[in-house]
Structure formats: C-alpha cells, structure tokens
Amino acid sequence: MSIKPLIILPDPVLRQVSKPIERVDGALRKLADDMLETMYDAPGIGLAAIQVGEPLRMLVIDLAKEDETPAPHVFINPEVLDSADQRSVYEEGCLSIPDYYAEVERPAAVRVKYLDRDGKLQEIEAEGLMATCLQHEIDHLNGVLFIDHISKLKRDMVVKKFKKLARDKPSGSKAPGKLVG
Ligand code: GNR
Ligand code: NI
C-alpha cells in the first residue's frame, strides 16, 4: 500500500470527467487500497480516484470515527438511481481544497448502484452523512467540486486564493515559486 499525493485546486485534472471501469482486477483493488490509505492519512472520510490523479470512476468512503473500527467502502462505477425530494445541509470540506469549509444543500437521501471491490453489483440506500459524502464523491467523478454548489462570489474568492497559493508555492517545492513579480 502507498500514500499518493493529492491533486489540489486549481489543478485542471480535478475538472476531468472520469472514465467507467471496465474490469475489477488486482491492479484496481491496489488502487482502492492506496486511496484508502491516502484518505486515512489525510485524514478524510471520502476520496475519489481523480484526487490522486487517476481519472477512473471509483471512490472510497469510511465514516467510522477515529476511535471506531474502520469501515472502508469501495464504490466502482457508482450511479445515482433516485434522490429524495427532501434536502439536507452539511458543512463540507474537500481534501483537494484544504482548510476551506462551506455549507452545501443536497438531496437528503440517495439510492446508488455500484460494483464492490469484488466486481459484484450492489445497491445502497444512503441518508445522512453517507448520502452527502456519496454525492460529493460522485460529483468528483464528473469534474464537479463542492464549491460549484456555493455562491459564485464565495467560489471566485476560494479559487483566487488557491491560484495565488499555487503561484507562490508550486507543489513539490518548498521555496517560493518566483524571485520577483
Ligand atoms: O473528508 C471529507 N469530509 C467531508 C465532509 C463533508 C462532506 C464531504 C466530505 S468529503 C471530504 C473528503 C473529500 O474531499 N472527498 O472528495
Ligand atoms: Ni472532495
């Protein structure tokens, strides 16, 4: 298992639409394990493959608290079959947008079909945090970020801040990006 570097806003990779997975094999399960390890290390409660630079329709979620037994879930080619009319609001964050949080309104419950890590077709009826997290992660598979669900004013502010951060301190370097300008 290995921890992979996270892709951070405004990297255009995050806007890619991820591709359906054609076969659930050992290499894919290895990627799922690496994603789980990366998510636990961060730490976060969910992670989409595109956040580690793999444009594949796979996501992992573990909602167990730190003092609870881990409960890793792998979702391959997830599809929302139904959404509740009822909405719920959660304060969301994203490992690709570090240290920024905002309230997002989404359907309070969703029915999702997916393949599990054995390639077996499954269906889940999720509510509460699981419903929110699944929708947040499925958005990633479509190149959508939680800031796309907040006001344009707030979104523009966040994007501007992360563009400046990337300019001042390019990823993989500890030194400032430029000497002047
Ligand atoms: O760790 C995460 N926490 C979180 C909190 C509320 C709603 C969604 C999330 S997902 C996020 C990890 C992440 O960025 N997944 O893509
Ligand atoms: Ni996210």
Side-chain angles (χ1 to χ4, degrees):
M1 300 237 285
S2 50
I3 294 166
K4 294 177 170 264
L6 289 164
I7 307 287
I8 304 295
L9 191 76
D11 195 320
V13 166
L14 292 171
R15 294 307 188 173
Q16 285 185 29
V17 178
S18 293
K19 291 264 188 312
I21 286 159
E22 290 183 2
R23 49 182 305 148
V24 179
D25 56 14
L28 193 80
R29 277 187 282 273
K30 160 85 164 68
L31 175 60
D33 289 341
D34 288 350
M35 286 169 57
L36 283 163
E37 194 182 4
T38 303
M39 178 186 79
Y40 291 134
D41 177 68
I45 58 172
L47 192 74
I50 195 65
Q51 293 179 275
V52 293
E54 297 284 350
L56 296 171
R57 300 189 78 83
M58 176 162 69
L59 61 93
V60 296
I61 292 178
D62 189 334
L63 301 182
K65 311 241 166 57
E66 280 195 49
D67 60 343
E68 292 173 351
T69 312
H73 293 276
V74 178
F75 298 85
I76 296 162
N77 296 342
E79 284 178 44
V80 176
L81 299 175
D82 265 310
S83 309
D85 293 330
Q86 195 198 333
R87 307 278 133 164
S88 67
V89 175
Y90 272 90
E91 175 150 277
E92 298 195 15
C94 182
L95 295 175
S96 296
I97 312 173
D99 304 316
Y100 180 75
Y101 304 90
E103 289 193 337
V104 176
E105 188 181 298
R106 300 181 185 270
V110 285
R111 195 158 59 90
V112 173
K113 79 165 189 181
Y114 63 97
L115 302 179
D116 66 17
R117 58 176 293 135
D118 300 317
K120 189 168 169 246
L121 185 61
Q122 302 280 1
E123 216 176 281
I124 182 178
E125 278 197 43
E127 54 173 33
L129 186 56
M130 181 56 105
T132 287
C133 195
L134 268 171
Q135 292 173 81
H136 174 119
E137 304 310 339
I138 292 171
D139 271 357
H140 275 300
L141 307 188
N142 296 321
V144 174
L145 301 171
F146 85 94
I147 53 170
D148 299 336
H149 298 289
I150 65 179
S151 75
K152 176 167 159 53
L153 183 73
K154 284 189 193 171
R155 178 168 61 253
D156 287 350
M157 279 172 44
V158 179
V159 171
K160 188 176 167 192
K161 184 184 143 196
F162 278 83
K163 279 184 175 164
K164 180 169 157 52
L165 279 170
R167 183 155 38 83
D168 292 352
K169 193 171 168 294
S171 63
S173 91
K174 281 170 192 155
K178 300 187 208 167
L179 291 174
V180 289

